[in-house]
Amino acid sequence: MNIYGGTIAMLEKGLDYSSAKSKAISQNIANVDTPNYKAKSVNFKEVFSNEISKGIEAYKTDVRHMDFTRSAGSKTFDVSNLRYRQDRNGVDMDKEQADLAANQIYNSALIERLSGKFNTLQSVIKGGR
């Protein structure tokens, strides 16, 4: 039974993406002084478009069977072509801090929306009291 029509599952995927992005940004900030460190980035859009373009085939033995679906996650990759310092470190601290702030706002919005869904469900369970 899917009470919210997949909304909670989509919010969960958004939180997974936000978590992966936060981890990559944190690694970049922690390694800002590491020579030859390649900055990491998380790109959901690239993985999503690649998965959609692949197409999915599934063998169904009955017309009543549901279609096969595949879930796309986020992918962390090295940004190897960018070097900001002479020690070949690829971390731009200003960009990382801006990305961290944007990701925190995104994460907070997802959590607030998820909390609202659960509060609505709790109100329904209590009979509107």
Side-chain angles (χ1 to χ4, degrees), residues 4-68:
Y4 289 112
T7 304
I8 291 179
M10 293 304 290
L11 290 170
E12 180 184 7
K13 295 289 184 191
L15 287 170
D16 289 344
Y17 164 73
S18 178
S19 175
K21 186 168 180 106
S22 179
K23 183 177 178 181
I25 292 169
S26 297
Q27 287 177 350
N28 290 344
I29 291 172
N31 288 295
V32 70
D33 291 326
T34 304
N36 297 319
Y37 178 77
K38 296 176 184 175
K40 297 191 181 339
S41 181
V42 177
N43 190 344
F44 175 76
K45 291 178 186 174
E46 180 181 307
V47 173
F48 186 69
S49 62
N50 286 343
E51 291 296 322
I52 288 195
S53 66
K54 285 181 185 177
I56 301 171
E57 289 189 31
Y59 178 71
K60 296 193 290 185
T61 57
D62 192 319
V63 295
R64 295 174 291 178
H65 289 168
M66 297 177 70
D67 289 332
F68 180 74

